[in-house]
Amino acid sequence: MNSIEGSVVAAKNARFALVASRFNDLVVDRLIGGAIDGLKRHGVDEKNIVLVRVPGAWEIPLAAQRLASKKKFDAIIALGAVIRGSTPHFDIVASEVSKGVAQASLSTGVPIAFGVLTTDSIEQALERAGTKAGNKGFDAAMTALEMVSVLRSIDGV
Ligand code: INI
């Protein structure tokens, strides 16, 4: 049996774009830090990382799709924090950003790791941004590395 799986070692010359929202930047800045730390510690050169900031999570899918369609990036990492209670449209924003990111990834064929937190409180968000529950930005970076690797392996079959 042949088994194909990816590794989290940076594929040669792989390029990554981070799309991160400014809304709830206290949280999102920590996700960005985690993602960049993860990429660099797994062998990605800083010159191969581009950071794009957008106003809110709602805007992430379009920016991610535009970046993906350039075919210059091996993977994109979407980072944001949608926190219930900030405004009544939490559910709409949370639902659309997840659907939009999935659609952008499938329509372009470029992996987009989903590092957008959807939480009930700022405390839950901070727990997932480098405190008690790890850093979902770092986790998303690992997913991006693994998807680049596994897609290159699939392409080589
Ligand atoms: N954007 C977020 O990134 N997080 C939120 O929690 C949030 N809430 O709750 O309102 C939010 N709203 C803004 C939205 O993403 C758009 O930027 C805005 O509607 C303009 O298009």
Coordinates of all heavy atoms in Angstrom, one line a residue, residues 21-68:
S21 N -7.5 40.0 10.0 CA -8.4 41.2 10.2 C -7.9 42.1 11.3 O -7.1 41.7 12.2 CB -9.8 40.7 10.5 OG -9.7 39.7 11.5
R22 N -8.3 43.4 11.2 CA -7.9 44.4 12.3 C -8.9 44.3 13.4 O -8.5 44.7 14.6 CB -7.9 45.8 11.7 CG -6.8 46.0 10.7 CD -6.7 47.5 10.3 NE -5.8 47.6 9.2 CZ -4.5 47.5 9.3 NH1 -3.9 47.3 10.4 NH2 -3.7 47.6 8.2
F23 N -10.1 44.0 13.2 CA -11.1 43.9 14.2 C -10.6 43.0 15.3 O -10.1 41.9 15.0 CB -12.4 43.4 13.6 CG -13.7 43.8 14.3 CD1 -14.5 44.8 13.7 CD2 -14.1 43.2 15.4 CE1 -15.7 45.1 14.3 CE2 -15.3 43.6 16.1 CZ -16.1 44.5 15.5
N24 N -10.8 43.3 16.6 CA -10.3 42.5 17.7 C -8.8 42.3 17.6 O -8.3 41.2 17.7 CB -11.0 41.2 17.8 CG -12.5 41.4 18.2 OD1 -12.8 42.2 19.0 ND2 -13.4 40.6 17.6
D25 N -8.1 43.4 17.3 CA -6.6 43.2 17.0 C -5.8 42.8 18.2 O -4.7 42.2 18.1 CB -6.0 44.5 16.3 CG -6.0 45.7 17.2 OD1 -6.6 45.7 18.3 OD2 -5.4 46.7 16.8
L26 N -6.3 43.0 19.4 CA -5.7 42.5 20.6 C -5.4 41.0 20.4 O -4.4 40.4 20.8 CB -6.5 42.8 21.8 CG -6.0 42.2 23.2 CD1 -4.7 42.9 23.6 CD2 -7.1 42.3 24.3
V27 N -6.5 40.3 19.9 CA -6.4 38.8 19.7 C -5.7 38.5 18.4 O -4.8 37.7 18.4 CB -7.8 38.2 19.7 CG1 -7.8 36.8 19.4 CG2 -8.6 38.5 21.0
V28 N -6.1 39.2 17.4 CA -5.6 38.8 16.0 C -4.0 39.0 15.9 O -3.3 38.2 15.3 CB -6.3 39.5 14.9 CG1 -5.8 39.1 13.6 CG2 -7.8 39.2 15.0
D29 N -3.5 40.1 16.6 CA -2.1 40.3 16.5 C -1.3 39.1 17.2 O -0.2 38.8 16.7 CB -1.7 41.6 17.3 CG -2.1 42.8 16.5 OD1 -2.5 42.7 15.3 OD2 -2.0 44.0 17.0
R30 N -1.9 38.5 18.2 CA -1.3 37.3 18.8 C -1.4 36.1 17.8 O -0.4 35.3 17.8 CB -1.9 37.0 20.1 CG -1.6 38.0 21.2 CD -2.6 37.9 22.3 NE -2.4 39.0 23.2 CZ -2.0 38.8 24.5 NH1 -1.8 37.6 24.9 NH2 -1.7 39.8 25.3
L31 N -2.4 36.0 17.1 CA -2.6 34.9 16.1 C -1.5 35.1 15.0 O -0.9 34.1 14.6 CB -4.0 34.9 15.5 CG -5.1 34.6 16.5 CD1 -6.5 34.7 15.7 CD2 -5.0 33.2 17.1
I32 N -1.3 36.3 14.6 CA -0.3 36.6 13.6 C 1.1 36.2 14.1 O 1.8 35.5 13.4 CB -0.3 38.1 13.2 CG1 -1.6 38.5 12.5 CG2 0.9 38.4 12.3 CD1 -1.8 40.0 12.3
G33 N 1.4 36.6 15.3 CA 2.7 36.3 15.9 C 2.9 34.8 16.0 O 3.9 34.3 15.6
G34 N 1.8 34.0 16.3 CA 1.9 32.6 16.4 C 2.1 32.0 15.0 O 2.9 31.0 14.9
A35 N 1.4 32.5 14.0 CA 1.6 31.9 12.7 C 3.0 32.2 12.1 O 3.6 31.3 11.6 CB 0.5 32.5 11.8
I36 N 3.5 33.4 12.3 CA 4.8 33.7 11.7 C 5.9 32.9 12.5 O 6.8 32.3 11.9 CB 5.1 35.2 11.8 CG1 4.1 36.0 10.9 CG2 6.5 35.5 11.5 CD1 4.2 37.5 11.0
D37 N 5.7 32.8 13.8 CA 6.6 32.0 14.6 C 6.6 30.5 14.1 O 7.7 29.9 13.9 CB 6.2 32.1 16.1 CG 7.1 31.3 17.0 OD1 8.3 31.4 16.9 OD2 6.6 30.5 17.8
G38 N 5.5 30.0 13.9 CA 5.4 28.6 13.4 C 6.0 28.4 12.1 O 6.7 27.4 11.8
L39 N 5.7 29.3 11.1 CA 6.3 29.2 9.8 C 7.9 29.2 9.9 O 8.6 28.4 9.3 CB 5.8 30.3 8.9 CG 4.3 30.2 8.5 CD1 3.9 31.4 7.6 CD2 4.0 28.9 7.7
K40 N 8.4 30.3 10.6 CA 9.8 30.5 10.6 C 10.5 29.3 11.3 O 11.5 28.8 10.9 CB 10.1 31.8 11.3 CG 9.9 33.0 10.4 CD 9.9 34.3 11.1 CE 11.2 34.7 11.7 NZ 11.2 36.0 12.3
R41 N 9.9 28.8 12.4 CA 10.5 27.7 13.1 C 10.5 26.4 12.4 O 11.2 25.4 12.7 CB 9.9 27.5 14.5 CG 10.4 28.6 15.5 CD 9.7 28.7 16.7 NE 9.5 27.4 17.4 CZ 8.7 27.2 18.4 NH1 8.0 28.3 18.9 NH2 8.6 26.1 19.0
H42 N 9.7 26.3 11.3 CA 9.6 25.1 10.5 C 10.3 25.3 9.1 O 10.0 24.6 8.2 CB 8.2 24.6 10.3 CG 7.7 24.0 11.6 ND1 7.3 24.7 12.7 CD2 7.7 22.7 12.0 CE1 6.9 23.9 13.7 NE2 7.2 22.7 13.3
G43 N 11.1 26.4 9.1 CA 12.0 26.5 7.9 C 11.6 27.5 6.8 O 12.3 27.6 5.8
V44 N 10.5 28.3 7.1 CA 10.1 29.2 6.1 C 10.9 30.5 6.2 O 11.0 31.1 7.4 CB 8.6 29.5 6.2 CG1 8.2 30.5 5.1 CG2 7.8 28.2 6.0
D45 N 11.5 31.0 5.1 CA 12.3 32.2 5.2 C 11.3 33.4 5.2 O 10.3 33.4 4.6 CB 13.1 32.3 3.9 CG 14.2 33.3 4.0 OD1 13.9 34.5 4.4 OD2 15.3 33.0 3.6
E46 N 11.6 34.4 6.1 CA 10.7 35.6 6.3 C 10.4 36.3 4.9 O 9.3 36.8 4.8 CB 11.4 36.6 7.2 CG 10.3 37.4 7.9 CD 10.9 38.0 9.2 OE1 11.9 37.6 9.8 OE2 10.3 39.0 9.7
K47 N 11.3 36.2 4.0 CA 11.0 36.9 2.7 C 9.9 36.1 1.9 O 9.4 36.7 0.9 CB 12.3 37.0 1.8 CG 12.8 35.7 1.3 CD 14.0 36.1 0.4 CE 14.6 34.9 -0.4 NZ 14.6 33.6 0.1
N48 N 9.6 34.9 2.3 CA 8.5 34.2 1.6 C 7.2 34.3 2.4 O 6.3 33.4 2.2 CB 9.0 32.7 1.5 CG 10.0 32.6 0.4 OD1 10.1 33.3 -0.5 ND2 10.9 31.6 0.6
I49 N 7.1 35.2 3.3 CA 5.8 35.4 4.0 C 5.3 36.9 3.8 O 6.1 37.8 3.9 CB 6.0 35.3 5.6 CG1 6.7 33.9 5.9 CG2 4.7 35.4 6.3 CD1 7.1 33.8 7.4
V50 N 4.1 37.0 3.4 CA 3.4 38.3 3.1 C 2.2 38.4 4.1 O 1.5 37.4 4.2 CB 3.0 38.4 1.7 CG1 2.1 39.6 1.5 CG2 4.2 38.4 0.7
L51 N 2.1 39.5 4.7 CA 1.0 39.8 5.6 C 0.1 40.8 5.0 O 0.5 41.9 4.7 CB 1.5 40.3 7.0 CG 0.4 40.8 8.0 CD1 -0.5 39.7 8.4 CD2 1.1 41.4 9.2
V52 N -1.2 40.5 4.9 CA -2.2 41.4 4.4 C -3.2 41.6 5.5 O -3.8 40.7 6.1 CB -2.9 40.8 3.1 CG1 -4.0 41.7 2.6 CG2 -1.9 40.5 2.0
R53 N -3.5 42.9 5.8 CA -4.5 43.2 6.8 C -5.7 43.7 6.2 O -5.7 44.5 5.2 CB -3.9 44.3 7.8 CG -2.7 44.0 8.6 CD -2.8 42.8 9.5 NE -3.7 42.9 10.6 CZ -3.4 43.1 11.9 NH1 -2.2 43.4 12.2 NH2 -4.4 43.1 12.8
V54 N -6.9 43.2 6.7 CA -8.2 43.7 6.2 C -9.0 44.2 7.4 O -8.7 43.9 8.5 CB -8.9 42.5 5.4 CG1 -8.2 42.1 4.2 CG2 -9.1 41.3 6.3
P55 N -10.1 44.9 7.1 CA -10.8 45.6 8.2 C -11.4 44.5 9.2 O -11.1 44.7 10.4 CB -11.9 46.4 7.5 CG -11.4 46.6 6.2 CD -10.6 45.4 5.8
G56 N -12.2 43.6 8.7 CA -12.8 42.6 9.6 C -12.8 41.2 9.0 O -12.4 41.0 7.9
A57 N -13.3 40.3 9.8 CA -13.3 38.9 9.3 C -14.2 38.8 8.0 O -13.9 38.0 7.2 CB -13.9 38.0 10.4
W58 N -15.2 39.6 7.9 CA -16.1 39.6 6.7 C -15.2 39.8 5.5 O -15.6 39.2 4.4 CB -17.1 40.7 6.9 CG -18.1 40.8 5.7 CD1 -17.9 41.6 4.6 CD2 -19.3 40.1 5.6 NE1 -19.0 41.4 3.8 CE2 -19.9 40.5 4.4 CE3 -20.0 39.2 6.4 CZ2 -21.1 40.1 4.0 CZ3 -21.2 38.8 6.0 CH2 -21.8 39.2 4.8
E59 N -14.2 40.6 5.5 CA -13.4 40.9 4.4 C -12.3 39.9 4.0 O -11.7 40.0 3.0 CB -12.7 42.3 4.6 CG -13.6 43.5 4.4 CD -14.6 43.7 5.6 OE1 -14.3 43.4 6.7 OE2 -15.8 44.2 5.3
I60 N -12.1 38.9 4.9 CA -11.0 37.9 4.7 C -11.2 37.1 3.4 O -10.3 36.9 2.7 CB -10.9 37.0 6.0 CG1 -10.3 37.8 7.1 CG2 -10.0 35.8 5.7 CD1 -10.2 37.0 8.5
P61 N -12.4 36.5 3.2 CA -12.5 35.7 2.0 C -12.2 36.3 0.7 O -11.4 35.7 -0.1 CB -14.0 35.2 2.0 CG -14.4 35.3 3.4 CD -13.7 36.5 4.0
L62 N -12.6 37.5 0.5 CA -12.3 38.2 -0.8 C -10.8 38.4 -1.0 O -10.2 38.1 -2.0 CB -13.0 39.5 -1.0 CG -12.8 40.3 -2.2 CD1 -13.1 39.5 -3.5 CD2 -13.5 41.6 -2.2
A63 N -10.1 38.9 0.1 CA -8.7 39.1 0.0 C -8.0 37.8 -0.2 O -7.0 37.7 -1.0 CB -8.2 39.8 1.3
A64 N -8.4 36.8 0.5 CA -7.8 35.4 0.4 C -7.9 34.9 -1.0 O -7.0 34.4 -1.6 CB -8.4 34.5 1.4
Q65 N -9.2 35.1 -1.6 CA -9.4 34.6 -2.9 C -8.5 35.3 -4.0 O -8.0 34.8 -4.9 CB -10.9 34.8 -3.3 CG -11.2 34.2 -4.6 CD -12.6 34.6 -5.1 OE1 -13.0 35.8 -5.0 NE2 -13.4 33.6 -5.4
R66 N -8.4 36.7 -3.8 CA -7.6 37.5 -4.7 C -6.1 37.0 -4.7 O -5.5 36.9 -5.7 CB -7.7 39.0 -4.3 CG -7.2 39.9 -5.4 CD -7.9 39.9 -6.7 NE -9.3 40.3 -6.5 CZ -9.8 41.6 -6.7 NH1 -8.9 42.5 -7.1 NH2 -11.0 41.8 -6.5
L67 N -5.6 36.8 -3.4 CA -4.3 36.4 -3.3 C -4.1 35.0 -3.9 O -3.1 34.7 -4.6 CB -3.9 36.3 -1.8 CG -3.6 37.6 -1.1 CD1 -3.7 37.5 0.4 CD2 -2.2 38.1 -1.5
A68 N -5.0 34.1 -3.6 CA -4.9 32.7 -4.1 C -4.9 32.7 -5.7 O -4.2 31.9 -6.3 CB -6.0 31.8 -3.6

